[in-house]
Amino acid sequence: MINKQNLRINVLAAAVLSLTAGAGMAQAADLKVSAPQQVPAAKQQAANGIIVKYKAGSSAASSSAAKVAVVNGALSRATLSGNRGTASARAAAFSPQVARRLGVGADLIRLKSRLAGADLDKVLAELRADPAVQYAVPDARMYAIDAGTPARARAVVQADATPALVPNDPYYAQYQWHLNSATGGINAPAAWDVGAGEGVVVAVLDTGILPQHPDFASGALLPGYDFISDAETSRRATDERVPGALDMGDWVENDNECYDGSLAEDSSWHGTHVAGTIAEATNNALGMAGVAHKASVLPVRVLGKCGGYLSDIADAITWASGGTVTGVPANTTPADIINMSLGGGSACDPLYQDAINGAVSRGTLVVVAAGNSASNAANFRPASCSNVIAVGASRITGGIASYSNFGTVVDLSGPGGGGGVDGNPGGYVWQAGYNGTTTPTSGAYSYMGMAGTSMASPHVAGVAALVQGALADADRDPLTPAEMETLLKQTARAFPVTIPAGTPIGTGIVDAKAALDEALKEPCTENCAPPATPLTNKVAVAGIAGASGSEKLYSFVATAGKPVSFVTYGGTGNVSLHVGADTGTSTVVYTAKSTRAGNAETVRITAPVAGTYYVKLAGDAAFSGVSLLATQ
């Protein structure tokens, strides 16, 4: 079963295929299936650190002592549960200290004792009310968001099952439906005829990387950095951040160790799997393939045992995108794209948004997983942050994965796998991995199936890398993050099955070839017209469907003098109608609209000019079965 809670839900999939360098594939191992546990909301909010950004020009902004005084003041004013004593006693009990300055200009304040639940909320409220404070957020933990806990089953891989297809990776055809299936895949093979992402840097903020995995090409993995600043989480000897991003393992020895109700679990090797989706070596007669296999991956370790801290993730976003983080050497290979297959409960906080805005201002696209709680993604971060591409998960059928978060903040979807409901291998996304249960010396390099929006997100990041690489090859400027988001949403392939109106997961499934084709079109300079489906007078177009946020464009050639009407009707969901005359450019200015609730919309032009009118039908919510009629 797939759990409905969005924290610490890690699934390896049904079969884990063992690989040793030079020895090829071996029979899969036996493993036992176990179900993930829910994380109590109060535990999600427990914190021994608070991140405070002080207002520029305030006394607290320039003095560590004043920063601590502001926090002590909030602790003394808050009405905390239990007998917490006098203000001086509270100061001694919590003993706030400035731990370090973050890249966004906020400060991490460490507390000697943890705050949780209502007590944490009260202290944060007092801090936010202080005139010296711009924002204050808990240094909450974030988690990798694949869709379950480790699970394996018996499987046999036939070593002579090499398909006569390009690429020649022996397990591409059998396992990697997510790249090649016409129904649920991303149309990668057709895109590879155009480009493979060469010269593009994609940062993977995750559990780190296994750099010796044989299915990463030489030079594909950049040195990276380990941003985890807590030795217990990182499993390094000290709290210091260090060069490199080696995945030390994120196994948990005991139940209830991460939070009440958490279970012991094996290491996930999550970051290596995600990096494999983006840039695993392809057409090298070994293993499997990656989306943008000539791109470079910048591994940035932010997740370890029991997840990772918001303060470390925010600094990693800043550093990966080329910003400055005190105490960390400058990043000499700033990322064009950041992928974050991680998340946690609650809506976007100011720190996350601050870090993301900084990355986008430096030209870095930020792609994030929507989350795996089968809930509205507006209540999860970073999916609910602005200036990100939030990615939902689809199945091999092209339908919504049961665990995928949904809602208007989800921009588009990528293959995430349906888990056991779609069997093996079709229920999982397959990429590089490891079969060791603890440390990176406890097993052998392997290929793993995993399911989750964690797996969907790197498909979108990889397609973005294909686009930027192809534009560079064509001596064209790269797209801005906003332009890339628009391109990927508009070129997404329509879902082959109906997505329920109440659980929208974006405009469609990311389509690598369609994105490349659109990006590489020669720009129109004169007599331009946007691509549109022509309407015939008094002949309805029926059965129109789309996701929330999607747009469909139609055109109608009108004569002068006689009124023209555009009407939508029928079906389910909620659409709006926008009409504008041809301006001779590829940009339409819509001068009339109808935006009533539901699908009954009417726009009437009483005195039309002769020429083309463009009609945009927009999904204010997911819709299906709608008809559009033009009458003159």
Side-chain angles (χ1 to χ4, degrees):
M1 103 183 226
I2 294 177
N3 188 273
K4 302 294 172 74
Q5 187 68 27
N6 182 37
L7 297 181
R8 198 61 186 187
I9 31 189
N10 301 329
V11 110
L12 307 186
V16 176
L17 313 178
S18 297
L19 165 82
T20 55
M25 304 295 277
Q27 181 170 323
D30 284 330
L31 286 150
K32 188 167 63 175
V33 176
S34 58
Q37 298 297 305
Q38 294 191 357
V39 182
K43 291 297 178 181
Q44 295 175 20
Q45 292 300 316
N48 63 355
I50 296 175
I51 301 159
V52 184
K53 191 169 188 178
Y54 298 91
K55 290 180 180 177
S58 68
S59 59
S62 57
S63 165
S64 292
K67 291 172 183 177
V68 170
V70 167
V71 177
N72 274 326
L75 288 166
S76 67
R77 292 190 301 273
T79 305
L80 303 183
S81 60
N83 182 12
R84 300 292 183 124
T86 64
S88 59
R90 291 186 188 189
F94 291 102
S95 188
Q97 299 293 327
V98 178
R100 68 172 181 274
R101 183 119 167 138
L102 275 63
V104 297
D107 292 278
L108 173 60
I109 311 296
R110 284 281 183 223
L111 304 176
K112 184 178 180 180
S113 302
R114 296 176 71 85
L115 277 168
D119 284 351
L120 176 59
D121 292 341
K122 290 173 183 177
V123 173
L124 290 171
E126 292 291 346
L127 280 170
R128 292 162 183 165
D130 193 303
V133 172
Q134 183 173 330
Y135 62 73
V137 299
D139 192 16
R141 281 189 179 269
M142 303 288 119
Y143 300 84
I145 48 176
D146 43 19
T149 51
R152 305 176 194 171
R154 185 177 299 276
V156 177
V157 179
Q158 300 299 326
D160 60 354
T162 304
L165 295 173
V166 175
N168 62 11
D169 307 73
Y171 300 102
Y172 163 76
Q174 182 181 357
Y175 287 89
Q176 294 191 286
W177 61 268
H178 43 99
L179 300 183
N180 58 48
S181 167
T183 303
I186 67 166
N187 199 13
W192 292 332
D193 291 337
V194 180
E198 189 168 9
V200 180
V201 176
V202 184
V204 175
L205 275 57
D206 215 294
T207 64
I209 196 76
L210 297 174
Q212 300 305 314
H213 196 291
D215 213 2
F216 288 106
S218 175
L221 301 177
L222 298 171
Y225 218 83
D226 189 334
F227 269 82
I228 300 176
S229 59
D230 172 67
E232 183 179 5
T233 301
S234 71
R235 286 199 160 88
R236 289 182 279 99
T238 71
D239 292 341
E240 300 300 316
R241 293 166 168 173
V242 298
L246 175 65
D247 190 338
M248 304 287 288
D250 59 354
W251 80 97
V252 179
E253 295 92 336
N254 304 303
D255 292 352
N256 302 310
E257 194 166 351
C258 297
Y259 51 84
D260 289 345
S262 68
L263 296 178
E265 59 183 352
D266 295 342
S267 289
S268 68
W269 316 113
H270 188 270
T272 296
H273 191 279
V274 169
T277 296
I278 294 168
E280 195 161 325
T282 301
N283 207 35
N284 64 337
L286 177 67
M288 299 180 181
V291 176
H293 43 267
K294 291 188 179 179
S296 298
V297 168
L298 178 69
V300 186
R301 189 173 182 231
V302 296
L303 302 176
K305 178 181 177 181
C306 298
Y309 287 103
L310 176 59
S311 56
D312 291 335
I313 294 168
D315 271 353
I317 293 169
T318 299
W319 181 85
S321 60
T324 300
V325 176
T326 301
V328 180
N331 177 10
T332 58
T333 53
D336 302 289
I337 301 157
I338 288 174
N339 182 83
M340 292 197 293
S341 291
L342 52 82
S346 87
C348 187
D349 59 81
L351 173 63
Y352 240 143
Q353 195 62 68
D354 217 354
I356 289 166
N357 288 349
V360 171
S361 73
R362 290 183 280 274
T364 301
L365 177 73
V366 181
V367 183
V368 305
N372 297 341
S373 297
S375 300
N376 193 326
N379 298 318
F380 295 81
R381 54 184 167 175
S384 60
C385 295
S386 301
N387 292 330
V388 302
I389 297 180
V391 184
S394 53
R395 299 165 50 194
I396 193 171
T397 63
I400 182 173
S402 62
Y403 54 79
S404 181
N405 281 356
F406 51 80
T408 57
V409 302
V410 179
D411 295 298
L412 76 166
S413 290
V421 68
D422 289 322
N424 174 35
Y428 305 95
V429 169
W430 290 85
Q431 299 293 170
Y434 194 69
N435 66 10
T437 58
T438 54
T439 70
T441 59
S442 62
Y445 297 109
S446 68
Y447 295 91
M448 304 187 306
M450 304 179 85
T453 56
S454 274
M455 287 58 256
S457 180
H459 284 89
V460 173
V463 171
L466 291 178
V467 170
Q468 298 292 43
L471 288 171
D473 288 344
D475 201 25
R476 303 257 294 271
D477 290 336
L479 299 183
T480 66
E483 290 170 340
M484 182 66 77
E485 179 179 343
T486 298
L487 173 78
L488 296 180
K489 289 166 68 174
Q490 290 183 348
T491 59
R493 188 173 74 259
F495 294 106
V497 297
T498 300
I499 305 299
T503 58
I505 51 171
T507 59
I509 301 170
V510 66
D511 189 306
K513 183 58 162 58
L516 284 173
D517 287 347
E518 183 64 25
L520 294 172
K521 279 183 179 177
E522 289 298 327
C524 181
T525 57
E526 60 181 31
N527 299 321
C528 303
T533 301
L535 297 171
T536 302
N537 189 30
K538 300 180 181 179
V539 177
V541 177
I544 306 171
S548 176
S550 64
E551 297 178 353
K552 297 182 183 297
L553 189 62
Y554 300 86
S555 62
F556 181 75
V557 178
T559 57
K562 185 178 180 181
V564 60
S565 297
F566 303 97
V567 178
T568 59
Y569 57 90
T572 61
N574 186 17
V575 300
S576 59
L577 206 57
H578 306 259
V579 178
D582 186 4
T583 61
T585 71
S586 59
T587 300
V588 178
V589 178
Y590 296 98
T591 57
K593 65 181 180 180
S594 176
T595 57
R596 292 193 294 266
N599 295 334
E601 309 290 351
T602 299
V603 173
R604 181 177 172 82
I605 310 295
T606 57
V609 296
T612 301
Y613 282 82
Y614 288 97
V615 182
K616 180 174 71 175
L617 191 153
D620 296 333
F623 62 95
S624 63
V626 176
S627 295
L628 171 63
L629 176 66
T631 304
Q632 186 178 40

